[in-house]
Amino acid sequence: MRIIDRIQAVISEYIVQKGYEATGWIVEIPKDKKIADYATNISFKLSATLKLSPMIIADQITPEIVKIFEEKMSGAFEIFALRGFINFKLKSNYCFEYIGNDGFSLKLVESNKKVLLEYVSANPTGPLHIGHGRWAAMGDTLKRILVHVGYDVDTEFYINDAGNQIANLLLSIEARRNNLPLPEDGYAGEYVKDLVKEADPIQAVLLQQTDILRKFKVTFDRWFSEKKELHENGFVNSAVSVMKEKGLTYEQEGALFFRSTDFGDDKDRVLIKADGSYTYFAADIAYHKNKVDRGYNHLINIWGADHHGYIKRVKAALFSLFGDKVELEVLLGQLVSLFRNGEEVRMSKRTGEMITLEEVIEDIGCDAGRFFLVSKQADTALDFDLELAKKQTSDNPVFYVQYAHARICSILNTSQIKAELDEDIVVEEIEHSLMRYLVHFEDELMIAVQNREPHRIATYLMELANMFHSFYHQCKVISDDKKLSANRLAIISAIKKVLATGLDLLGVSAPEKM
RNA sequence: GCGCCCGUAGCUCAGCUGGAUAGAGCAACGGCCUUCUAAGCCGUAGGCCAGACGUUCGAAUCGUCUCGGGCGCGCCA
């Protein structure tokens, strides 16, 4: 249980025991962490029923709360009232013990859900672009943090290797081979020239995508082929049959409709077109049913924001088949607008104007690319200027964090003194602040998990690195004073653990030297 | 027209399940390397949190509306 939850529990018990009535109170992390690490607004919420001002209430109950915490969490905090809030300030020794020798034991979630996280899922009709890179970085980091706190999660890439886009690409290649004009809406991109030589162009594109994702340190537990595993083996057909049997469909004007309006959609959707072929939607229902058939009961999809209109109907379909036994969560990532020297580059596989993910990674590197892409909230449209990114490579925030880690390694290597923390020897304010901030890693991680916001890890690491660098310039770690040195070595080794863990969750390396 | 997302420093963005004085990086300016890594540190400057009204003891945060930007509304995928 996190510290914040334990505080909540203890105060909750106290409220009940005293017979107070209060609702809506919380334990929170103050914006200004200089004041305290945790604070509760309980006095504000009691003020209505007790008819006293929050300050007075806080002053009265704080001594009692101090006493209870002496019993339940001895030595953990300094507790004091300030402007109506009751504040909890962590003590350094407690922090050090809490972090422990192996870092946190961050098994924060008990879940019997089997999660399938699906992301990227690009058409194999061309190179991946920077937007795919964003979903890739986000999805991979999300998987890492979910697993880290105890979820059972597999990842999957859905290969859209059936349908018109594929046919269209093949026609374009065929046209090129025979020196014929491109079909209307054909693919004009440069990369198509290279595909002309390939016996199996689709497979070639797919391999290229796999390869670049691997370079980006993004791997999947499974690559799922729409063509092979849904169409060729008749799975779409059987899924649609199930829907028919359940009375979820009707025929009209030669087409088969799904009654999705019965499940919250805006209009009924076609499953089988009048010409007898399946819609993309039908295949997608089959795909999601397939996931459930394979034993997953919590599906998470990361989609580009341009697909948001599609969510309702997929949820409708899944609900019509499985009710609330299966949860579908769709995370939308806003698109990435690419700029080159301040001018927007409109990307299109068809027209061929594009900057690929591969180019970006080669220009700025995997670590910098991942950190940049995952450090921004996903539902904000992102502007990415390639020239700027190249120019700023050396002051990319990722190096700031990595540098902190390398610096620590360097110091640790030059000393053989055993790290040991003694609260009384922690002299500087920044040292206390650092120890306290380390404990908040669990809080940031949980918020990141709960809100599906991996960017919070990056923000946290920036802040931690900032505090460390500041500490480094204020405090000499290794000195003639053995006890002081041992103390500071303990502090920096704790920082190192958290930095390394955090960077790993982002899929970014933690170098020992830079 | 209807629906979703966004609007915070010159630029790129944090902060948003209501809390204490609005933050960081880059860019600008001024300092700091005979000392564990200067890819660093310290300082200065920079803001009507798009705007208005409302809810509240308290609003960048919640609600309604307006303005501005992005995206979506196929028997395409």
Side-chain angles (χ1 to χ4, degrees):
Chain A
M1 197 193 262
R2 284 187 299 160
I3 291 176
I4 192 170
D5 296 327
R6 287 160 71 185
I7 297 173
Q8 178 103 29
V10 172
I11 295 177
S12 200
E13 197 182 319
Y14 166 77
I15 299 297
V16 171
Q17 184 196 322
K18 295 286 283 191
Y20 291 147
E21 279 183 33
T23 53
W25 64 277
I26 55 164
V27 178
E28 63 176 350
I29 297 160
K31 235 187 302 189
D32 184 355
K33 294 194 182 63
K34 272 186 283 227
I35 300 174
D37 295 289
Y38 307 96
T40 177
N41 60 350
I42 184 72
S43 335
F44 290 82
K45 301 298 174 184
L46 284 172
S47 114
T49 48
L50 297 182
K51 306 241 186 303
L52 289 168
S53 84
M55 325 313 166
I56 293 177
I57 295 170
D59 288 339
Q60 281 180 2
I61 67 176
T62 299
E64 298 180 341
I65 286 179
V66 168
K67 221 196 284 171
I68 297 175
F69 275 93
E70 258 332 295
E71 290 163 26
K72 307 245 174 184
M73 294 177 76
S74 177
F77 314 104
E78 180 191 335
I79 301 170
F80 58 95
L82 181 68
R83 281 189 257 185
F85 291 91
I86 298 173
N87 295 281
F88 298 79
K89 194 168 181 176
L90 284 161
K91 293 189 176 176
S92 295
N93 260 7
Y94 186 82
C95 297
F96 188 65
E97 284 164 31
Y98 191 74
I99 293 161
N101 289 324
D102 308 316
F104 298 91
S105 50
L106 286 170
K107 191 82 173 169
L108 299 170
V109 174
E110 293 289 335
S111 170
N112 51 8
K113 292 280 182 75
K114 254 182 92 67
V115 181
L116 185 66
L117 173 61
E118 180 216 327
Y119 63 103
V120 184
S121 299
N123 283 335
T125 51
L128 299 174
H129 55 67
I130 184 77
H132 294 125
R134 190 181 198 182
W135 324 147
M138 183 185 167
D140 186 61
T141 301
L142 195 58
K143 153 147 193 185
R144 288 167 192 253
I145 64 178
L146 286 173
V147 168
H148 195 74
V149 301
Y151 282 94
D152 178 6
V153 37
D154 290 333
T155 55
E156 190 158 290
F157 185 118
Y158 180 51
I159 308 165
N160 287 260
D161 52 3
N164 291 345
Q165 306 287 5
I166 298 292
N168 195 351
L169 176 65
L170 292 175
L171 282 176
S172 299
I173 291 170
E174 204 50 43
R176 227 176 236 290
R177 278 177 181 153
N178 300 311
N179 279 321
L180 293 170
L182 282 181
E184 220 178 306
D185 289 338
Y187 286 79
E190 275 297 301
Y191 67 91
V192 177
K193 284 183 190 160
D194 299 327
L195 293 177
V196 167
K197 299 168 218 140
E198 299 289 342
D200 185 345
I202 303 303
Q203 190 60 25
V205 171
L206 193 59
L207 280 175
Q208 209 180 52
Q209 290 182 348
T210 316
D211 191 51
I212 187 64
L213 284 169
R214 199 182 298 115
K215 276 189 199 152
F216 206 40
K217 289 207 268 180
V218 175
T219 56
F220 293 86
D221 295 312
R222 183 150 189 214
W223 294 71
F224 189 98
S225 163
E226 177 187 358
K227 190 175 166 212
K228 293 196 189 92
E229 299 177 80
L230 292 181
H231 291 286
E232 286 177 3
N233 68 4
F235 197 86
V236 178
N237 186 40
S238 77
V240 170
S241 298
V242 170
M243 294 185 80
K244 265 194 228 167
E245 283 159 25
K246 289 194 167 210
L248 299 167
T249 62
Y250 61 90
E251 277 188 52
Q252 192 177 38
E253 292 166 20
L256 186 75
F257 282 75
F258 165 46
R259 297 177 194 280
S260 51
T261 45
D262 290 357
F263 304 93
D265 197 6
D266 307 319
K267 54 192 274 195
D268 291 340
R269 309 288 173 177
V270 173
L271 298 177
I272 303 177
K273 296 180 244 177
D275 69 5
S277 62
Y278 292 108
T279 57
Y280 177 83
F281 181 46
D284 222 19
I285 292 174
Y287 177 42
H288 284 82
K289 180 176 182 297
N290 187 283
K291 292 178 180 179
V292 177
D293 290 352
R294 282 184 276 145
Y296 298 103
N297 53 10
H298 187 163
L299 312 181
I300 304 178
N301 298 347
I302 299 178
W303 287 351
D306 52 341
H307 286 80
H308 79 258
Y310 198 71
I311 297 174
K312 262 189 190 170
R313 73 190 73 168
V314 177
K315 284 198 169 175
L318 214 50
F319 189 82
S320 76
L321 286 169
F322 303 105
D324 52 14
K325 281 197 280 269
V326 174
E327 184 183 351
L328 172 65
E329 195 182 331
V330 180
L331 308 179
L332 291 181
Q334 288 294 328
L335 307 172
V336 179
S337 311
L338 255 187
F339 291 77
R340 182 170 256 165
N341 292 321
E343 246 178 75
E344 180 155 17
V345 182
R346 278 282 174 193
M347 285 193 299
S348 160
K349 280 182 200 164
R350 297 249 175 83
T351 64
E353 187 183 23
M354 64 187 324
I355 296 172
T356 64
L357 177 60
E358 183 161 30
E359 274 178 79
V360 173
I361 294 172
E362 274 171 11
D363 281 339
I364 72 173
C366 174
D367 284 347
R370 282 189 69 130
F371 197 89
F372 180 85
L373 288 171
V374 87
S375 62
K376 273 111 186 142
Q377 199 169 274
D379 64 3
T380 307
L382 177 63
D383 288 341
F384 189 95
D385 190 310
L386 193 66
E387 298 308 314
L388 212 65
K390 258 194 261 184
K391 219 187 305 168
Q392 289 182 355
T393 292
S394 61
D395 43 44
N396 186 299
V398 75
F399 299 117
Y400 186 78
V401 178
Q402 291 179 319
Y403 187 55
H405 184 265
R407 260 186 163 172
I408 292 173
C409 291
S410 168
I411 300 169
L412 291 175
N413 283 339
T414 60
S415 171
Q416 296 305 316
I417 301 171
K418 185 165 174 272
E420 211 165 353
L421 196 84
D422 179 349
E423 180 106 29
D424 297 333
I425 298 174
V426 180
V427 283
E428 301 294 338
E429 188 56 40
I430 183 76
E431 300 179 84
H432 283 293
S433 301
L434 266 166
M435 291 312 293
R436 289 159 50 206
Y437 193 58
L438 289 174
V439 172
H440 284 297
F441 183 61
E442 64 173 15
D443 298 311
E444 280 309 318
L445 187 58
M446 269 320 276
I447 295 170
V449 166
Q450 280 162 354
N451 300 349
R452 319 300 194 214
E453 291 174 339
H455 75 277
R456 285 173 179 276
I457 305 295
T459 309
Y460 173 86
L461 291 176
M462 281 293 289
E463 175 68 21
L464 180 59
N466 175 255
M467 289 173 76
F468 166 74
H469 287 306
S470 185
F471 157 82
Y472 177 87
H473 283 270
Q474 267 180 68
C475 306
K476 188 108 169 83
V477 175
I478 300 166
S479 64
D480 295 337
D481 187 334
K482 283 263 163 58
K483 275 195 147 176
L484 185 67
S485 301
N487 229 48
R488 289 184 171 162
L489 285 166
I491 293 172
I492 64 167
S493 60
I495 297 169
K496 185 191 154 183
K497 281 172 206 157
V498 174
L499 284 176
T501 305
L503 286 171
D504 182 59
L505 290 175
L506 298 181
V508 171
S509 66
E512 309 238 323
K513 277 183 197 159
M514 282 178 76

